[in-house]
Amino acid sequence: MSDELIRLEREGPVAVVLLNRPKQLNALSGELMAALVETLRQLDEDRDVRAIVVGGNERAFAAGADIAELAAGTAISLYENRRIDAWDAIRAVRTPLVAAVSGFCLGGGCELAMLCDLIVASESATFGQPEINLGVLPGAGGTQRLTRAVGKAVAMDMILSGRTLSAREALGFGLVARVVAREAWLAEAKRVAADIAAKSPISVRLAKEAVDKAFEAPLAVGVEFERRAFYLARASDDATEGLNAFVEKRLPEFRGT
Ligand code: CO8
């Protein structure tokens, strides 16, 4: 199942996970999400994987949840099959996730990209939460994560009017980290992932957790978490190596211990 719906590539410590329902613009069916979650769970357990790129294809990252499935289901079936709960497993992935976005990144697709740790977008990317046009609203964290990313004014505009953002607008509003030429959408995301993968995996994971705390805890709690994460990182061999390497004017060799 996952072989069809998900394409998985490895480039050294970087895993590349590509959604593969091109005819449906990578609409996130229950089956596709289950395959994605399972793939990410397995990669997260592999100590040799230091960063993961999540992408689609040039035309679409993902055009949202599968509308045909939503139309066929009921409120009760959605509640009982707990499909949206599966998305929480992505938030729990400790390995850094880089979203590589080209083309449509809408609805659940935008929510999936925002579940990743940072977004690299091609100039062709379009971001939106158009659920309002369907008589519903974002259901996988969009009202919360988009608002935290771009602020209330732009989030309200997008979620209430269905306004879409170009990649440049998304960069200006703080939704994406980098915008690159159309053809570089995947290469640049892989490059960012490779840069992250070259760091100490312990400090990277702790830093990811600490930044996430900024969204989920009051400032004092987040600052305290960061301090303890700093102490913990300092206890690693990699921290000793990194600090000594600077003092000795050489490049560090991180071992993940
Ligand atoms: N779901 C299912 N099929 C889709 C979806 C989708 N989200 N988007 C596109 N498709 C299908 C089309 O039906 C079409 O199929 P077919 O060729 O069989 O007719 C094919 O993909 C190509 O699409 P178009 O012909 O429409 O291509 P265009 O280039 O003309 O338009 C658009 C591209 C603008 C992206 C257009 O397809 C569109 O508006 N798509 C829907 C976007 C949208 O509304 N997304 C939000 C969906 S709701 C959501 O995400 C809620 C998330 C809450 C979490 C729930 C988890 C279970």
Side-chain angles (χ1 to χ4, degrees):
M1 170 183 81
S2 54
D3 288 349
E4 279 184 334
L5 291 170
I6 298 285
R7 280 173 42 214
L8 176 60
E9 298 164 13
R10 276 292 292 274
E11 294 190 10
V14 174
V16 181
V17 176
L18 299 175
L19 308 173
N20 191 32
R21 280 187 91 203
K23 284 190 187 132
Q24 295 83 13
L25 304 182
N26 288 333
L28 302 166
S29 61
E31 206 186 2
L32 174 55
M33 284 308 294
L36 175 64
V37 165
E38 179 54 21
T39 304
L40 293 178
R41 197 192 58 73
Q42 285 177 16
L43 291 172
D44 200 33
E45 281 176 9
D46 184 340
R47 277 179 61 88
D48 294 332
V49 175
R50 300 281 169 87
I52 301 169
V53 173
V54 178
N57 55 52
E58 198 174 321
R59 187 165 176 226
F61 177 77
D66 190 302
I67 296 172
E69 273 184 11
L70 288 176
T74 65
I76 300 303
S77 66
L78 266 177
Y79 176 72
E80 285 187 335
N81 66 30
R82 300 173 68 89
R83 265 194 194 153
I84 305 181
D85 298 22
W87 295 52
D88 294 343
I90 299 175
R91 165 69 186 82
V93 170
R94 299 175 77 189
T95 312
L97 300 174
V98 178
V101 175
S102 176
F104 298 113
C105 186
L106 303 173
C110 192
E111 291 171 309
L112 173 60
M114 290 190 291
L115 268 173
C116 295
D117 298 306
L118 62 99
I119 301 174
V120 174
S122 102
E123 277 168 346
S124 74
T126 305
F127 296 86
Q129 298 285 168
E131 290 90 340
I132 205 78
N133 300 327
L134 304 168
V136 288
L137 71 156
T143 60
Q144 306 303 300
R145 292 197 176 89
L146 186 67
T147 306
R148 282 165 166 78
V150 304
K152 179 181 169 183
V154 176
M156 281 289 191
D157 194 359
M158 293 173 71
I159 291 167
L160 301 189
S161 78
R163 171 190 177 183
T164 55
L165 298 184
S166 68
R168 293 268 161 217
E169 287 174 320
L171 181 70
F173 292 134
L175 178 59
V176 312
R178 303 183 188 197
V179 175
V180 296
R182 194 184 192 94
E183 61 281 3
W185 65 278
L186 189 53
E188 180 67 9
K190 286 182 188 173
R191 202 169 11 247
V192 175
D195 283 349
I196 295 170
K199 316 296 182 204
S200 158
I202 296 166
S203 56
V204 163
R205 285 181 170 203
L206 287 168
K208 166 174 164 154
E209 276 186 71
V211 174
D212 277 336
K213 275 282 178 290
F215 290 96
E216 289 160 10
L219 182 64
V221 174
V223 169
E224 181 61 22
F225 179 89
E226 178 198 76
R227 193 163 306 153
R228 286 169 193 280
F230 184 86
Y231 298 147
L232 190 56
R234 179 62 192 91
S236 67
D237 296 338
D238 279 350
T240 302
E241 166 65 7
L243 295 165
N244 285 342
F246 181 87
V247 172
E248 292 161 14
K249 300 192 185 306
R250 61 177 176 82
L251 289 174
E253 278 182 44
F254 295 127
R255 295 200 166 79
T257 55

